[in-house]
Amino acid sequence: MATLKPTILISKSSISSCKCSKPQRGLIVAATISSTPRSRVGDISLPGIRASYKLELHRFSDEKQLMSTMIKRNDQGVNGGVDPLIVAELYSILEAVADRVEMHRNICEQRSNWNSLLLTSINGLILAAATMVGIASVCGGAPAPAPAPALKLSSTILYVGATGLLSVMNKIQPSQLAEEQRNATRLFKQLQNQITTVLSMGNFTSFDVKELMEKVLALDKAYPLPLLGAMLEKFPEHVEPAVWWPERRRKQPKKSAGFNGWNRKLEEEMREIVNIMERKDERDYLRLSEKALKLNKFLAVAAPVLTGLAAVGSALVGSPSDGGWAAVVGVAAGALASVMNTVEHGGQVGMVFEMYRSNAGFFKMMEDTIAWNLREEDLERRENGEVLEMKVGLQLGRSLSQLRDLAAAAGGEDQFASKLF
């Protein structure tokens, strides 16, 4: 730093003392700067100067490229390549989707907290009531039976309160609600990435805007936020795959002619993969969903019944009709209800049911996507065949060679299509 100061002072003094015209001053400044020894600047050993200098150059280069890209896109929009109104609509949809991602994430955390807090609170109420019933039965035969009525009344109130809370908790299934919002968050993030990709590619039309709007509304319908009125049925009569995608419409034909990446071999391969997914993967997850639903129904009914029975037993402790069985019922039914509540909500059986149902919906969506492309006779309206094959392979966790081997296998009876789930 000491080697630089004299040069800088001389430059300033020479510039201030020079009483010449402006062009001559510029020449003097340039000559003074050029006369500064450059080797001394390179010899300065201050940490981070070279790195920061390179970072500034890199940042300047990135900003220059970004500005040139923006100017180019703006020129395209002015010249008719991209409609600015469509760009504004796409950005509006992108902002709405980003807001929904945050909303579903926050509500997922809230409902997950509901599940843990209600589980702990209800189990605490049940175990406290069972303890009071046991103490009341012992105090009833003691010389001083005064504590027995108070303990009986307290245990009965606790059991009745636990029964009401259990009924509400089993009706709304907080763990299943949290899983629904978790799936919605993931799907809205996926849609957000799709919109970003469309914007970056630049070849979008008003059809893309309508399609993305339909996807947003379909997700809102599949995973509603409110509980009252719009909540999904937690104990349906028939288990069906989750559906979060809209009805597919015919796409506009592409400008590029040809087979669009499709051939007869690829069509046969895609048909066989659809058959395997429908026969093996989707059906297996629906079967698991039905088992989880049956278990959840049993636990949701049995736990409140047991707490209600325990409330009756606690109220009859020490009564003339009590033959010694009331205390046993009050304690045993309460303990068993606590175990069932822990299995149902601690094990998150509702969440498991929703997870299996969503997995079945995932395979259903893939089947619909492939079947829609195969039904479309106009090849230019289809999605590119090579791109679709790669997407299917990635979603199933298989390479392209593995995907073709799966389709070539005779019947595929012993194999599932997916290696991920």
Side-chain angles (χ1 to χ4, degrees):
M1 184 62 72
T3 59
L4 282 177
K5 285 183 177 180
T7 306
I8 296 173
L9 291 175
I10 292 171
S11 300
K12 290 183 178 179
S13 62
S14 62
I15 293 171
S16 61
S17 62
C18 181
K19 297 180 181 179
C20 53
S21 60
K22 292 183 179 179
Q24 291 175 346
R25 290 180 182 178
L27 292 174
I28 293 172
V29 172
T32 307
I33 294 175
S34 62
S35 63
T36 305
R38 296 184 180 179
S39 59
R40 295 185 179 182
V41 177
D43 295 337
I44 297 174
S45 59
L46 292 179
I49 286 184
R50 295 183 179 178
S52 62
Y53 179 71
K54 293 180 180 179
L55 182 62
E56 287 296 325
L57 288 178
H58 181 69
R59 185 176 65 85
F60 176 76
S61 177
D62 291 343
E63 290 179 355
K64 187 177 179 181
Q65 293 177 2
L66 179 61
M67 289 298 296
S68 63
T69 304
M70 292 175 65
I71 292 172
K72 182 179 179 181
R73 290 183 179 179
N74 189 24
D75 293 339
Q76 290 177 353
V78 172
N79 297 329
V82 177
D83 189 355
L85 179 60
I86 297 178
V87 176
E89 291 175 347
L90 286 175
Y91 274 106
S92 299
I93 297 174
L94 183 62
E95 292 176 0
V97 169
D99 184 60
R100 279 171 171 78
V101 169
E102 192 65 26
M103 285 193 298
H104 283 282
R105 182 189 291 115
N106 294 338
I107 293 179
C108 174
E109 294 178 0
Q110 178 196 55
R111 292 174 179 177
S112 181
N113 290 335
W114 283 1
N115 185 68
S116 59
L117 291 175
L118 286 173
L119 171 64
T120 305
S121 301
I122 292 173
N123 280 346
L125 292 176
I126 293 173
L127 295 177
T131 304
M132 289 181 180
V133 171
I135 297 174
S137 64
V138 175
C139 293
L151 292 173
K152 286 170 51 180
L153 179 62
S154 300
S155 63
T156 303
I157 292 174
L158 289 176
Y159 272 134
V160 171
T163 303
L165 289 175
L166 262 177
S167 300
V168 174
M169 189 177 183
N170 293 342
K171 176 67 177 177
I172 65 175
Q173 293 290 317
S175 65
Q176 186 172 345
L177 289 173
E179 180 66 16
E180 291 172 6
Q181 305 309 314
R182 200 175 293 117
N183 289 333
T185 302
R186 180 180 60 84
L187 294 172
F188 271 115
K189 279 186 177 180
Q190 183 179 1
L191 183 59
Q192 185 179 7
N193 293 332
Q194 291 178 6
I195 300 173
T196 306
T197 303
V198 170
L199 284 169
S200 63
M201 292 179 66
N203 56 346
F204 42 80
T205 61
S206 58
F207 180 83
D208 296 317
V209 176
K210 294 179 181 178
E211 186 179 19
L212 292 172
M213 280 287 295
E214 291 176 353
K215 288 183 178 180
V216 172
L217 297 177
L219 275 173
D220 288 338
K221 183 179 180 182
Y223 298 103
L225 290 171
L227 290 178
L228 300 177
M231 185 177 67
L232 298 179
E233 179 63 35
K234 297 299 179 286
F235 302 99
E237 294 294 331
H238 303 285
V239 180
E240 296 181 355
V243 177
W244 60 82
W245 59 93
E247 182 181 357
R248 298 186 180 274
R249 303 179 184 273
R250 295 192 70 189
K251 295 184 178 181
Q252 295 179 351
K254 300 180 179 62
K255 295 181 180 179
S256 60
F259 293 100
N260 197 20
W262 287 92
N263 52 54
R264 186 166 298 277
K265 182 179 180 182
L266 180 59
E267 290 182 354
E268 294 176 356
E269 174 189 333
M270 290 293 106
R271 287 193 180 93
E272 185 62 31
I273 290 173
V274 168
N275 293 333
I276 294 174
M277 286 191 294
E278 184 178 3
R279 186 175 63 250
K280 297 289 293 183
D281 300 80
E282 181 184 351
R283 186 176 299 177
D284 186 66
Y285 277 108
L286 288 177
R287 178 181 59 83
L288 294 174
S289 299
E290 291 177 354
K291 290 184 176 182
L293 179 61
K294 290 179 180 178
L295 177 61
N296 201 26
K297 282 182 179 180
F298 170 75
L299 295 173
V301 173
V305 169
L306 287 172
T307 53
L309 185 62
V312 174
S314 65
L316 296 177
V317 170
S319 63
S321 59
D322 180 17
W325 59 268
V328 176
V329 171
V331 174
L336 189 57
S338 178
V339 171
M340 288 190 172
N341 183 45
T342 302
V343 171
E344 180 182 6
H345 299 291
Q348 300 187 16
V349 181
M351 181 274 292
V352 173
F353 164 71
E354 180 62 27
M355 180 183 65
Y356 287 150
R357 195 175 73 95
S358 297
N359 289 343
F362 167 77
F363 292 108
K364 180 68 175 176
M365 181 190 66
M366 291 186 63
E367 294 166 14
D368 290 350
T369 302
I370 298 174
W372 182 88
N373 281 279
L374 293 176
R375 286 195 303 267
E376 180 58 59
E377 296 180 357
D378 189 356
L379 296 181
E380 295 182 6
R381 293 181 184 269
R382 293 183 183 181
E383 186 176 356
N384 185 275
E386 296 178 357
V387 175
L388 180 63
E389 184 184 21
M390 184 183 67
K391 285 182 179 179
V392 172
L394 290 174
Q395 289 174 345
L396 296 179
R398 293 178 178 271
S399 64
L400 294 180
S401 60
Q402 291 175 344
L403 194 68
R404 291 162 187 163
D405 293 340
L406 174 68
E413 291 291 340
D414 298 329
Q415 295 189 64
F416 287 90
S418 176
K419 285 189 173 183
L420 294 178
F421 303 113

